[in-house]
Amino acid sequence: MSTTTIHPQAVNAVETRERPTKVADLLRPVTTDQRYIGASSERPGIRRLVQGQGTYVDDIVLPRMAHVVFWRSPVAHCRILSIDAEAAKSMPGVIMVADGNDIAKVCKPWVATLEHLKGMKSAPQYPLAIERACWQGEAVVAIVAETREQAEDALQFVMVDFERLPPVVNIETALRPDEPLIHDELGDNLCFSRSLDTGGVDEAFARADEVVDITFEFGRHTGVTLEPRSQIADWNSADQRLTVYHSCQAPHMMQDLYARQFSLSETAVRVLCKDVGGSFGIKVHAYPDDFATVALSMMCRRPVKFVADRLESFTSDIHARHHRVKARLAATRDGDILAFDMEDLTGVGPYSMFPRTSAIEGNQVVNLVGGPYKHQHYRAKLDVVFQNKTPTCQYRGVGHPIACAVTEGLVDLAAQRIGMDPLAFRRRNVIPDDAFPATGASGIRMEVLSHQACLDKIESLMDYPALRAEQAALRERGIYRGIGFATLIELTNPSASFYGVGGARIASQDGATTRLDPSGTVTVLVSVGEQGQGTEGIYRQVTADAVGVDLTKVRVVTGDTDVTPYGGGTWASRGAGIGGEAVLQSGKALRANILKVAAVILKRDAIELDVRRGEVIDASSKASLLSLAELGRIAYYRSDLLPPEFTPELVVTRHYAQRAYPFIFTNGVQASYVEVDPETGFVKLLKHWAVEDCGRVINPKLVDEQIRGAIVQGIGGALLEECLYDDEGLMRNASMADYLVPMSAEMPDIEVAHVQTPTQSSQLGAKGAGEAGTAGAPAAVMNAINDAIAPFDAHVWSQPITPEKVLRALGKVD
């Protein structure tokens, strides 16, 4: 079930734009015949995919294609003494065995830092380790063979002699003077540090009636995509051109990186992304083995395919979320939040990931803690430390789940201490809906949000009073249920302030090319790709409305740097807000050009005409005058019928970059209802609610499923998922037999509703929704568990919240 509210206070606009005077102005139709924007419709590729007709990287077979596997370090830190590959080279089908020195002759090293993260450090990194391997899973030797099986057989005969080095494992001790240095040239194991202080924090805590103080722990976890990371690199030595078939989120970013690392021009590199089996941020980074695969194709002069198997993915793919946060909140007994104060310590592996860097997640935590609330005093300290573990980097939500859990955990505990209902405490302290635009205590600028409207809606959606009554009655019978809330903000539609200002060549704009074909159909080529989130579906809807054709007459093309306009790709919930706006503007421009052609053919003024459902019509009478198929026939094949000075322009390209704010924030609130068995520590998820404000909703069904999927992913981190390491830096549960992911039978019913406050930074008004569910779910579930065990005066602040941790909180195990 999904409901939508148009927020009555959503009349605040960006300062540089005219302020609308009515609520209806914010959600007015963006086209003259809006049929599809705002309606649920089927994804264009769904039938193909469910019938098994998808094309993933591993489905692609090229002539003379070889396969590569990697010998990866079995230990967390070692010095490479020698490599004996002679036996492997003589194995059947083996084409090449290459080490780090071989690859370094073809591919330049990189240093993954961003200029605007002042003082950030990382060491130079190569596609294959040369002198040392710095984490379990780092690629050291590449074996290329005619088949994957032959390469894996030869892998067994590669002999690497190495000397174990002491690993840096514990983030708590990583900065001690007596701790080993991972990279001597950096001087210490500190990657990045940041401090933020608004002033007045100590005074606020001194005058507070209640101070709550919590240490939160967040375990590492990873993406576990249905399709592992994979690519085919095809170097054509005759044309001096590189084609890479990739399962990634940002084709143009990869095109730029391949060009720079291999000293090629961008025009010599083509990146194609066909179907992608899930990404979640795992596939938005450039991995060392990506570059190694390209180098091997150049060295072998033939296509080379790399597909990570499920076991190696656990240590070769990025991890995320490893944080220890000490935080406190100051409040009055009347229920006013005065200040937040927090210290975040996080570990990122031995190198920062390229090119987005591994410091962004911690930086986001600093920016977002306390975000929904109107307090004025805030202090934060961040230390990002290197470890001899798998590198961490951006993963779905990027700091939001940590910041939300810290914020909402403190808020719930404060409400409990002063004896105020947690929903009432939030309602008292959120930034009021009529106060936007507003600047948060951390300095984030927010255009228009709807905290109060969302809180009101979730209270009625879940029938909160009745639920509290049920909870109380069940406690009398020894059944312990809890209700947890999480108010959240999510940054979407980022401007160049995210990466561009730091020197990373990652586009903040996206583009769309829209073409009227001779048959009257429309083809739109978009720089934001399809990762399973449904962007191709919403682009088809927007195009159909913008041009004025039926949905079935629109074809969408994405994921090919040779044909799509230049753009940033899929990340930071930007597909609808930035890609969608480019599609809208391109479609409207094509419509205008169609009317120019129609005016010449019909000898009418263009202002008298309109396009409606595949026909040029009289704007006043709505009478059909000319089909788009006939217009296309004349424009393309009978130019002799047109005036000599007139040339039809039925292909247009438009780009859009959000510039009004550093980010366009969206918001929402989630609630979780759980039952905890105090004898076993097991948590049963009973129901979950989410009220989401992602601006204009383009396809309600797609948004709801995005939110539900993201919530499930967030619950995974809250209750199940964790990359466990031993004292030597070795991952103990690197298989699907031991790494726990949420299964459908364990998940609750998830009810989603919407409040709409469209952004005024674009005409479409769409914000983002893809990560908000992940951002809020862990906090809501954590607070629900703590509410359930509140009668025992117990709390659990360490995620994932396992039965053992619950029992420990209850004092039943040591």
Side-chain angles (χ1 to χ4, degrees), residues 95-109:
I95 299 166
M96 177 180 287
V97 178
D99 62 20
N101 287 304
D102 298 323
I103 302 295
K105 296 173 184 176
V106 182
C107 179
K108 294 180 287 190

Side-chain angles (χ1 to χ4, degrees), residues 94-122:
V94 172
I95 299 166
M96 177 180 287
V97 178
D99 62 20
N101 287 304
D102 298 323
I103 302 295
K105 296 173 184 176
V106 182
C107 179
K108 294 180 287 190
W110 59 89
V111 176
T113 58
L114 288 170
E115 294 170 4
H116 66 301
L117 300 181
K118 301 299 183 183
M120 185 185 178
K121 300 177 299 190
S122 189

Side-chain angles (χ1 to χ4, degrees), residues 2-6 427 451-463 669 690-692 752-756:
S2 176
T3 57
T4 298
T5 297
I6 300 174
R427 188 175 279 115
H451 295 305
Q452 292 170 317
C454 287
L455 288 167
D456 290 345
K457 179 171 277 293
I458 205 164
E459 182 176 19
S460 62
L461 188 69
M462 63 193 293
D463 195 356
V669 59
V691 175
E692 173 67 13
V752 182
H754 299 279
V755 170
Q756 295 191 59

Side-chain angles (χ1 to χ4, degrees), residues 603-610 617-620 625:
K603 297 180 173 54
R604 299 273 297 267
D605 193 323
I607 201 171
E608 301 173 1
L609 307 174
D610 200 358
I617 64 171
D618 183 289
S620 299
L625 303 174

Side-chain angles (χ1 to χ4, degrees), residues 70-378:
F70 296 98
W71 189 95
R72 297 180 182 275
S73 174
V75 298
H77 198 193
C78 68
R79 180 175 291 108
I80 301 165
L81 301 177
S82 65
I83 298 171
D84 182 357
E86 292 307 311
K89 290 177 182 178
S90 65
M91 291 289 290
V94 172
I95 299 166
M96 177 180 287
V97 178
D99 62 20
N101 287 304
D102 298 323
I103 302 295
K105 296 173 184 176
V106 182
C107 179
K108 294 180 287 190
W110 59 89
V111 176
T113 58
L114 288 170
E115 294 170 4
H116 66 301
L117 300 181
K118 301 299 183 183
M120 185 185 178
K121 300 177 299 190
S122 189
Q125 190 175 3
Y126 292 83
L128 300 182
I130 296 178
E131 296 179 351
R132 291 179 303 126
C134 293
W135 80 90
Q136 177 200 17
E138 183 173 9
V140 178
V141 184
I143 299 91
V144 183
E146 298 286 351
T147 69
R148 173 71 179 244
E149 292 78 12
Q150 289 172 329
E152 290 185 344
D153 286 345
L155 180 64
Q156 312 307 314
F157 291 87
V158 174
M159 305 300 292
V160 179
D161 186 18
F162 59 85
E163 174 193 356
R164 284 178 179 259
L165 298 174
V168 177
V169 177
N170 190 340
I171 59 173
E172 303 278 356
T173 62
L175 298 180
R176 291 180 181 174
D178 58 347
E179 191 77 358
L181 292 182
I182 298 177
H183 304 290
D184 290 340
E185 66 270 31
L186 298 183
D188 55 31
N189 293 323
L190 181 66
C191 172
F192 176 64
S193 183
R194 179 189 173 193
S195 295
L196 186 156
D197 193 341
T198 64
V201 173
D202 290 332
E203 293 84 352
F205 275 91
R207 61 187 171 89
D209 298 312
E210 188 66 57
V211 173
V212 294
D213 195 328
I214 302 172
T215 297
F216 298 87
E217 295 178 346
F218 302 89
R220 280 177 170 243
H221 52 277
T222 187
V224 196
T225 55
L226 285 175
E227 177 199 25
R229 284 192 306 111
S230 50
Q231 70 178 118
I232 301 171
D234 184 8
W235 170 250
N236 187 316
S237 58
D239 291 340
Q240 294 288 289
R241 196 156 198 265
L242 173 66
T243 301
V244 181
Y245 298 86
H246 219 312
S247 176
C248 77
Q249 298 173 233
H252 285 101
M253 180 195 82
M254 295 307 302
Q255 177 194 41
D256 173 77
L257 293 178
Y258 290 142
R260 285 193 288 144
Q261 297 309 118
F262 293 94
S263 300
L264 302 170
S265 69
E266 286 185 353
T267 57
V269 181
R270 181 187 187 187
V271 177
L272 293 107
C273 295
K274 295 183 179 290
D275 294 311
V276 177
S279 299
F280 316 127
I282 297 298
K283 299 177 182 176
V284 80
H285 311 291
Y287 289 81
D289 47 37
D290 290 341
F291 295 117
T293 303
V294 170
L296 291 164
S297 177
M298 291 179 164
M299 295 161 70
C300 296
R301 297 194 172 195
R302 60 193 294 177
V304 176
K305 176 187 282 189
F306 165 64
V307 177
D309 69 30
R310 186 61 70 187
L311 291 176
E312 70 182 319
S313 289
F314 275 103
T315 54
S316 67
D317 295 3
I318 63 105
H319 296 172
R321 311 280 203 255
H322 187 195
H323 294 254
R324 187 224 61 196
V325 182
K326 295 181 178 179
R328 57 187 187 138
L329 177 151
T332 68
R333 64 174 56 91
D334 293 331
D336 293 324
I337 296 174
L338 301 178
F340 284 87
D341 186 11
M342 74 93 165
E343 295 181 0
D344 182 10
L345 177 64
T346 180
V348 297
Y351 299 96
S352 170
M353 280 295 290
F354 190 49
R356 295 169 187 267
T357 83
S358 300
I360 286 291
E361 181 172 85
N363 197 58
Q364 294 285 78
V365 174
V366 171
N367 289 337
L368 296 171
V369 163
Y373 299 104
K374 58 186 178 183
H375 63 286
Q376 296 299 309
H377 305 294
Y378 178 48

Side-chain angles (χ1 to χ4, degrees), residues 506-576:
I506 302 168
S508 58
Q509 71 169 22
D510 272 286
T513 296
T514 309
R515 179 182 75 225
L516 179 70
D517 297 320
S519 63
T521 59
V522 176
T523 299
V524 56
L525 303 97
V526 193
S527 56
V528 179
E530 176 62 63
Q531 312 286 307
Q533 77 278 44
T535 52
E536 288 184 353
I538 64 171
Y539 295 156
R540 190 170 68 152
Q541 291 175 257
V542 172
T543 299
D545 277 353
V547 178
V549 296
D550 290 339
L551 200 64
T552 56
K553 299 295 185 181
V554 180
R555 175 173 173 261
V556 179
V557 177
T558 65
D560 186 345
T561 59
D562 261 11
V563 300
T564 62
Y566 204 93
T570 303
W571 48 276
S573 301
R574 63 195 300 282

